[in-house]
Amino acid sequence: MKNTNTRPMANEATAIRAAELFDEHQRDICQRTDHMFAVLMTLQWIGGIIAASWISPRAWVGTTSQVHVHVWAAVFLGGAISSLPILLAITRPGQVSTRYVIAVGQMLMGALLIHLTGGRIETHFHVFGSLAFLSFYRDWRVLIPATLIVAADHFFRGIFWPQSVYGVLTASEWRWIEHAGWVLFEDTFLLIAIKRSVSEMLDIAQRTAESENLTDHLEVHVTQRTAQLAAANRELETEVAERKLAEEALRASEGRYRLLFESNPFPMWVYDVETLAFLAVNEAAVSRYGYSPKEFLSMTIKDIRPPQDVPALIDKLSQTSLSRNDSGEWRHSRKDGTSIDVEITSYPLSFAGRRARLVLANDITERKQAEAALHRSEEQLRQAQKMEAVGKLAGGVAHDFNNLLTAITGHSEMCLRGLAAEDPLYRRVEQIKKAGDRAAALTRQLLAFSRKQILQPEVIDLNQIVVELNRMLQRLIGEDIDLLMGLGPDLGKVKADPNQLGQVLMNLAVNARDAMPKGGKLTIETSNVNFSEAFASNHISVPAGQYVMLAVSDTGCGMDADTQARIFEPFFTTKDVGKGTGLGLSTVYGIVQQSGGSIWVYSEIGRGTTFKIYLPCVPGSVAENCSDAVKPELLKGSETVLLVEDEEMVRDMATEILREGGYHVLEAKHGPEAMALSQRYKGQIHLMLSDVVMPQMSGRELAERLTPLRSNMKVLYMSGYTDDAIVHHGVLEEGTAFIGKPFSPDALTRKVREVLDAPVVV
């Protein structure tokens, strides 16, 4: 019969793969068996030592005892037998030589154990167990050296030491054959088991190789079949796609009306050109206009126009050719009464045998609103740019005037000091001084408009400012105008120059008075307001936040739009010649802008005007004002003053004023000259009085260079124009001493004395 445990190989590759699998399995078994014997032989060695110590721990020599030789044999001889097999099992598992050495060592260890137990029959079973464990290698060859070791051990020890192997003092010389027979009997069964196990391993390896080969063939077949199916699928997809294209072309021709009309996101309708009745409407028109389809079909296109636009519609339709496309912008009315701006495009067509037009309506309401908002923003920006340009020009002119006016007013005042009141020249010089004072007031207004004046802001309560000016405003506007006040409670604080805000109120009051020649009402109101992000986005000059509002309203003649557009321009006035300079409202505009606020005007002809000023809220409390009068005799002094001024007229006048006051004056016309003069002068310089804006070196830079060299020297700046050297956005830096041009002799001597007497800030 054919051996069922061996199957013919499909091919050479399968046979090679089966051999590889068998070798891998055999190698794995041998490695694991080597590791098992490493553990087993270690335990045997330890067990032998324990057995020897228990059975014959000590030997007697005369009256003394000592460790029995069996114990030493178990320790040293057992270690010698076990060490090499254990070492090879750990370092070279799976090698042929390793398992042969293990087989020899295992049998020698069995012989030692038989000897240590005195040839007990129980220990002979260790031999049979060892042979069984050796069969785990699935290699019958390892049984040969094991069997030879057992036979040789029983032969030699049976002759020379029968008691160590058989447990008797004498034994037959052939008794070893009996024991060898039992070993061979076991070997026979072990060989049969090994053969069957190896045969099963070969069979498993063969089946595994055949399975892998079959899997490879199946994968190739599946790949080929998949490619065939993919090709067939592509052909099918192409066929289906062609069929779908044909179906879609058919549906497109049938559904073009639904796509372009019913599903259009823009309102569309068809109307009869003769009756103007609606013939069809889409869902977008129903949704946008609010009428149901049934309501639409009972209406005409005139019904969705405001009544005032219907004549224009009829006129437009009469001029439109029935064969031409047409477009335009109209206002339409929705069912809820609201109006929308739409852009209409219409096309001629035939509908159900009627002459009709197809209309597409695009709602442009939001676009129109956005365009209007953009136009307002552009107008605001252009106005702000125009005011900025005019302000720069006015500020530059005012700066040059201030130097001239300083000399004019200063010298005229000194002349008046030296003239008697009855002197004929006294009145003439007095007129010169008055003209200079009026010119100085004009330059201050120009500087205010151009935001070039220097402010000294503080935290203030607007309500308090209004209340303090109440009596003055009453006298200013006259008895035929009622002054009403509506001051808001818990009003926020603002940071501004109180004197300048008072000027704002008085200018607005004068403007309101002139607008009410026959009397009326002037109302001053304050309140807290909050500008949202939405409001700020429509007003480019106002950021969102908390503000305090100051409103000044009158019931006067009002202004038209053209006047409102130019109201803040300098020298623009609607008053008669000689009755106004045109700087009142421009001064208000400049002060408000420089204080970080905004001003808005609303006016209607015959109803009045309202100015609203918005100033940012600030934290803090209102400071208390306290001023001490300075006696004239205390204004003089004897200190040394370094005067630095590039304008010769101003420098000469200031020198004369200071020397009359008893001061020792050192003159310099610019920074480098002042540096050289300070280096030459060995005495103490108590004060440096310097212009801010000078050629070559600014006053601030000069002070920064001289102050380290003269630590006790104080600094007083003078200027008729703001400059970033000592101010920031027109606001004086804290701790900076300053006097503005033009100044009077008394003002200069008072300020010099004030700075010299002030305590030194460390």
Side-chain angles (χ1 to χ4, degrees), residues 182-198:
W182 286 109
V183 171
L184 290 175
F185 180 77
E186 182 183 7
D187 284 345
T188 301
F189 284 98
L190 291 177
L191 287 172
I192 294 172
I194 290 171
K195 183 177 180 182
R196 290 181 63 85
S197 178
V198 170

Side-chain angles (χ1 to χ4, degrees), residues 1 21 71 147 195 236 265 444 502 531 560 596 683 686:
M1 286 182 65
L21 291 172
V71 176
T147 303
K195 183 177 180 182
L236 182 60
R444 282 194 297 272
F531 286 159
D560 57 22
H686 300 83

Side-chain angles (χ1 to χ4, degrees), residues 680-699:
R680 292 195 306 269
Y681 186 74
K682 301 304 180 182
Q684 182 180 356
I685 298 178
H686 300 83
L687 174 70
M688 182 182 76
L689 174 61
S690 174
D691 192 12
V692 176
V693 181
M694 296 184 295
Q696 301 185 41
M697 186 185 301
S698 70

Side-chain angles (χ1 to χ4, degrees), residues 103-181:
V104 173
Q106 181 65 21
M107 290 305 153
L108 289 177
M109 195 64 190
L112 177 62
L113 290 175
I114 293 172
H115 174 75
L116 294 177
T117 57
R120 294 175 184 268
I121 189 64
E122 293 86 353
T123 55
H124 284 77
F125 288 105
H126 179 274
V127 173
F128 300 117
S130 298
L131 290 173
F133 280 121
L134 289 173
S135 68
F136 288 176
Y137 282 112
R138 310 299 201 274
D139 185 359
W140 61 270
R141 292 170 297 183
V142 298
L143 297 177
I144 296 175
T147 303
L148 293 176
I149 292 297
V150 172
D153 172 63
H154 279 67
F155 175 75
F156 287 109
R157 281 201 298 155
I159 295 175
F160 299 105
W161 301 288
Q163 70 276 11
S164 68
V165 65
Y166 302 126
V168 295
L169 295 176
T170 60
S172 171
E173 60 185 0
W174 305 107
R175 189 171 180 177
W176 66 274
I177 297 176
E178 176 189 352
H179 285 259

Side-chain angles (χ1 to χ4, degrees), residues 14 36 66 101 362 481 507 624 691 693:
T14 303
M36 180 195 71
Q66 60 185 10
V101 172
N362 180 19
I481 296 177
N507 285 10
E624 295 183 1
D691 192 12
V693 181

